[in-house]
Amino acid sequence: MSIARSDGRVQPARAGDPKRVGPYRIIGRLGSGGMGTVHAGLDPAGLRVAVKVIHPGQAEDSEFRARFRREVQLSSRVHGPCLIPLLAADPDAENPWLATAYAPGLTLDQHLAAHGALTGGTLYAFATGTAQALAAIHAAGVVHRDVKPQNVILTPAGPRVLDFGIAHAADGTSVTRTGVMTGTPGWISPEHYRTGTAGPESDMFAWGTLVAYAATERLPFGTGAPDVVAYRVLSEEPDLTGLPEELRELLTKALAKNPAERINAEAAAKECARLLARQATQVLDTAAGPDPTRIDGCLTTEWNLPSTEDPAWSLPTRRRRQHVLMTAVVTAIAVAAVSGGIVFYSSGDRADGDLASDHTSPPTPSTEIPAPNGASAPTGSGGPATATPAPEVDPRTIKIPKDPLAGITNPAYTRSGDETQPFPEEWRASATADSAAERNAEKTIRDRMTSMLATKDMNYMKPTITFNQRAQTVMVTGGPVPQLPETQQEVFRRAGEMAACSALAHRLKDTPTTWPYGRYSVYWKTSGGDLDATALGFGEATDGCLSTTAGHWHGDDAGMATAEIPSSDKAEIRVADSAVKAIVATWNTNTAETNEAPLAVDDGISLGFDPVENAAYVWTDDPYSRFTSRASQSNLTSAAEEAVCRKLTREFHSNKSWLYTRWAVAVHDSYTGTRQFIGSGTCPS
């Protein structure tokens, strides 16, 4: 999300701004843009963070929300020098948000407007730091896609690249559905103009432009009408006059028309480091490779920007901060338990701990959140701690880890982010499990699907699990079953996607350098024969299937359709019967002093279960039009939540095979003739 910052200083909050986002107390604004607002926040320890909250209009777009979630996961992988670490995010909040370490200072374009071009050691330090940042981003399998002056902050400790990955989710430069090129002329690579694609090579083209712009205050291909600039990018050589000769040679490689001829980020970082060391010492042997420790010192030494202090942050005193640090973990646990949706990431990058102007490194956040039964808790890393026995973890506990491939530089799965659906030929070429790991995954997927389907008396749907290593895809196939109801085929799809996604994500997390499967596809055989099948669904195991408790869960039509299929599980039948009676009793108790008419058990209240998302659905066809007003719908939601959660929680603690912790309520909409969801959520432990 590329959001303009005013000058890095805290601006007053505006009417309607949140007082708190996740565990962060909001004290003002840092900037805003078309996609969201950046708030200045303090964590429980009083350390400074930038909290970016998506605008409500964007949050209502399910496709944007899915892209935002995906980019958060990609960004959580990236750690390295001159980056601003992602600390926490909740893509499933009502208004999705993410938090990063706060970086004081002006963006590059703001600095150039106020102070002019970068020169001498500062210029070489800028080139080195930004190249190192891109090298770390690319090593994690991520493409920035929006390298430009607004996304580089010049902090007192050096340059910091921000919005890696997230920028693409919000306003990335790409070809839109209508084929219209978006992006800023002058920062778009030749291959992006030609094909609409942007890879690491495009980032390096933008890096060359960035460094040239920092040194000369002009774009290598000039300005003007977009088509004129595009012609220059595609056909003319860049104008690099005014640059030091050795740096000009390097940027010429970065700005090559052919992406295959372009220097990569790692090589550029090494070459810039060598030039930086020469600036610092003037005696470094050009044939010798730079010493990393010495180069880090050179970058800091040669970087010549003053520190700034903004009194608006109103940090607590040191004594107060020490006390707050002692209680920060407890506070974080409480906040996470209330919100149920914050995903914390461990930055693993102590080099960026000096981004706050008090130069205090924030404690490493947790990578887990308590599941509905509260089995796990965050831990800090602020210093030595007394070892305590790990609590016994309920096997049903759902942990919320980082992206399964977070921090892995050379994963066996290489198609991360590839949204191309598998071809029918790839399904036909898939084979049965060959290795022990494949057989283990096959059993995990089949067992999970079988348990979900069994509750709906759909045991006859026997899934076949096959593997296509070239496509890095696991195929889940069912059928053919004559005259199968469409609703049951949909249940098979949902069960297959959930089981495969979870199984593959765990494999990616546990054995990332050897497990090559990160994609899954669900098929249904037609009656035409074994070589004919219809694709029902497709997805990637890194798309958040492990984070099934993150955010506020919402019921949907697919879950409702599954819940309407009668259950064959005795425990589900028993709980459903008692829950309906409890809803009626709770309604009658809660509305005894209002004008609401009492309910009876046979007044059309129904309850069913969706084993795919572990949710209980309550619905009524409202034959007497009792639930048309907001007040009556609110009363019904309250009664259902109270009664259903009481029953689900009791069963959860007494029955180790019980997985249901969510609830949703729907009523008949007389205007559309369909059901309208009026409430949903996750039961507290």
Side-chain angles (χ1 to χ4, degrees):
M1 173 176 37
S2 183
I3 296 178
R5 294 156 51 100
S6 54
D7 58 0
R9 292 182 175 272
V10 179
Q11 306 299 315
R14 300 181 185 178
D17 281 358
K19 301 295 185 183
R20 181 174 291 275
V21 175
Y24 305 111
R25 179 167 62 88
I26 303 303
I27 65 170
R29 284 189 172 203
L30 292 172
S32 62
M35 296 298 166
T37 301
V38 184
H39 299 280
L42 298 174
D43 78 353
L47 299 174
R48 306 170 185 185
V49 295
V51 184
K52 307 181 182 184
V53 181
I54 298 299
H55 287 322
Q58 297 292 339
E60 292 175 359
D61 184 343
S62 59
E63 181 178 345
F64 175 87
R65 187 183 285 267
R67 290 171 58 208
F68 180 79
R69 183 186 299 110
R70 173 63 177 155
E71 299 300 342
V72 165
Q73 291 171 340
L74 287 177
S75 296
S76 70
R77 298 184 192 175
V78 182
H79 312 295
C82 296
L83 293 170
I84 301 177
L86 178 66
L87 301 178
D90 188 356
D92 297 312
E94 181 177 358
N95 292 320
W97 60 269
L98 62 88
T100 67
Y102 169 68
L106 301 176
T107 59
L108 175 62
D109 57 330
Q110 292 169 342
H111 178 90
L112 296 181
H115 305 290
L118 304 184
T119 59
T122 300
L123 173 61
Y124 286 95
F126 175 85
T128 302
T130 51
Q132 287 178 338
L134 288 177
I137 292 170
H138 295 166
V142 177
V143 180
H144 191 295
R145 296 185 175 95
D146 203 24
V147 177
K148 60 186 181 182
Q150 295 89 333
N151 282 336
V152 181
I153 297 177
L154 308 187
T155 79
R160 293 295 186 267
V161 175
L162 71 155
D163 283 351
F164 43 90
I166 302 301
H168 183 60
D171 59 354
T173 54
S174 62
V175 175
T176 66
R177 289 185 180 84
T178 58
V180 178
M181 174 69 66
T182 62
T184 305
W187 301 93
I188 301 174
S189 66
E191 66 272 18
H192 197 174
Y193 277 119
R194 294 189 184 100
T195 66
T197 60
E201 299 83 3
S202 292
D203 280 353
M204 291 310 296
F205 183 89
W207 174 80
T209 303
L210 184 79
V211 177
Y213 183 67
T216 65
E217 297 185 79
R218 67 176 186 275
L219 294 175
F221 297 97
T223 59
D227 56 339
V228 174
V229 176
Y231 174 81
R232 296 189 194 125
V233 169
L234 291 167
S235 306
E236 297 182 359
E237 294 303 312
D239 177 9
L240 299 178
T241 55
L243 281 160
E245 181 178 354
E246 53 194 1
L247 194 56
R248 184 166 64 246
E249 293 177 359
L250 179 61
L251 298 191
T252 299
K253 297 176 183 178
L255 295 170
K257 305 296 184 188
N258 185 348
E261 298 175 358
R262 233 166 267 158
I263 191 170
N264 63 39
E266 183 178 4
K270 290 180 180 179
E271 179 64 16
C272 286
R274 186 183 65 81
L275 298 177
L276 174 63
R278 178 185 291 178
Q279 282 285 314
T281 66
Q282 298 298 317
V283 294
L284 182 65
D285 182 2
T286 58
D291 176 67
T293 303
R294 189 176 186 182
I295 293 308
D296 288 342
C298 287
L299 195 154
T300 304
T301 302
E302 292 299 307
W303 188 253
N304 186 23
L305 286 179
S307 298
T308 57
E309 179 55 42
D310 183 0
W313 283 100
S314 302
L315 287 175
T317 64
R318 182 172 298 276
R319 186 172 182 179
R320 169 63 178 163
R321 186 178 297 120
Q322 290 173 346
H323 172 73
V324 173
L325 282 169
M326 296 294 292
T327 60
V329 171
V330 176
T331 305
I333 295 173
V335 172
V338 172
S339 68
I342 305 169
V343 182
F344 289 89
Y345 301 94
S346 173
S347 72
D349 183 12
R350 298 302 92 205
D352 279 331
D354 60 352
L355 292 183
S357 60
D358 62 353
H359 305 293
T360 304
S361 298
T364 301
S366 165
T367 58
E368 296 182 359
I369 306 176
N373 62 351
S376 61
T379 58
S381 63
T386 304
T388 56
E392 182 179 353
V393 178
D394 190 307
R396 300 164 298 176
T397 299
I398 303 174
K399 297 180 180 179
I400 304 181
K402 298 184 291 184
D403 185 307
L405 294 178
I408 305 302
T409 56
N410 293 299
Y413 174 59
T414 60
R415 296 185 64 172
S416 181
D418 184 352
E419 298 179 359
T420 305
Q421 290 196 9
F423 300 110
E425 292 77 12
E426 292 175 326
W427 171 75
R428 297 187 187 99
S430 62
T432 56
D434 181 49
S435 65
E438 289 178 355
R439 288 191 291 272
N440 212 339
E442 175 188 13
K443 184 178 186 302
T444 300
I445 296 171
R446 182 180 290 112
D447 288 351
R448 178 73 179 113
M449 289 187 67
T450 299
S451 66
M452 286 189 278
L453 297 173
T455 65
K456 299 300 181 182
D457 204 17
M458 294 164 59
N459 310 61
Y460 58 87
M461 291 187 175
K462 303 295 184 182
T464 300
I465 316 299
T466 54
F467 300 80
N468 186 323
Q469 187 165 350
R470 180 183 294 272
Q472 298 188 324
T473 306
V474 172
M475 315 290 184
V476 179
T477 307
V481 178
Q483 298 179 337
L484 180 72
E486 187 176 331
T487 54
Q488 294 193 11
Q489 192 176 109
E490 177 69 4
V491 173
F492 182 88
R493 178 195 66 79
R494 297 178 66 237
E497 288 185 343
M498 181 65 73
C501 189
S502 177
L504 298 187
H506 279 291
R507 289 280 172 182
L508 289 171
K509 181 173 181 291
D510 295 339
T511 55
T513 59
T514 59
W515 182 253
Y517 302 102
R519 292 150 49 94
Y520 57 87
S521 192
V522 181
Y523 288 84
W524 190 260
K525 284 185 181 180
T526 65
S527 57
D530 289 343
L531 296 181
D532 294 320
T534 300
L536 301 180
F538 161 73
E540 188 175 19
T542 54
D543 279 345
C545 54
L546 286 177
S547 305
T548 51
T549 60
H552 180 86
W553 178 80
H554 297 275
D556 57 27
D557 292 334
M560 172 65 77
T562 303
E564 288 182 300
I565 300 174
S567 175
S568 59
D569 183 86
K570 292 182 179 180
E572 291 182 13
I573 295 171
R574 171 175 50 79
V575 172
D577 181 63
S578 63
V580 169
K581 294 177 181 177
I583 291 170
V584 172
T586 304
W587 167 277
N588 291 337
T589 299
N590 292 348
T591 60
E593 298 181 359
T594 69
N595 294 325
E596 300 282 1
L599 288 176
V601 174
D602 58 355
D603 274 350
I605 302 292
S606 301
L607 188 147
F609 293 95
D610 172 23
V612 178
E613 298 223 26
N614 303 329
Y617 280 78
V618 178
W619 68 91
T620 173
D621 289 328
D622 200 8
Y624 307 110
S625 299
R626 288 184 181 170
F627 307 113
T628 56
S629 69
R630 288 190 176 182
S632 61
Q633 290 181 0
S634 176
N635 289 338
L636 179 61
T637 300
S638 298
E641 179 180 10
E642 179 182 344
V644 173
C645 280
R646 186 167 67 246
K647 296 295 182 180
L648 297 186
T649 302
R650 182 179 301 170
E651 189 72 19
F652 187 90
H653 290 297
S654 63
N655 179 356
K656 287 298 182 181
S657 64
W658 188 260
L659 299 174
Y660 296 100
T661 58
R662 294 163 169 171
W663 60 274
V665 184
V667 297
H668 181 73
D669 187 332
S670 58
Y671 294 100
T672 64
T674 60
R675 292 199 180 99
Q676 170 192 358
F677 287 97
I678 60 174
S680 57
T682 302
C683 298
S685 57

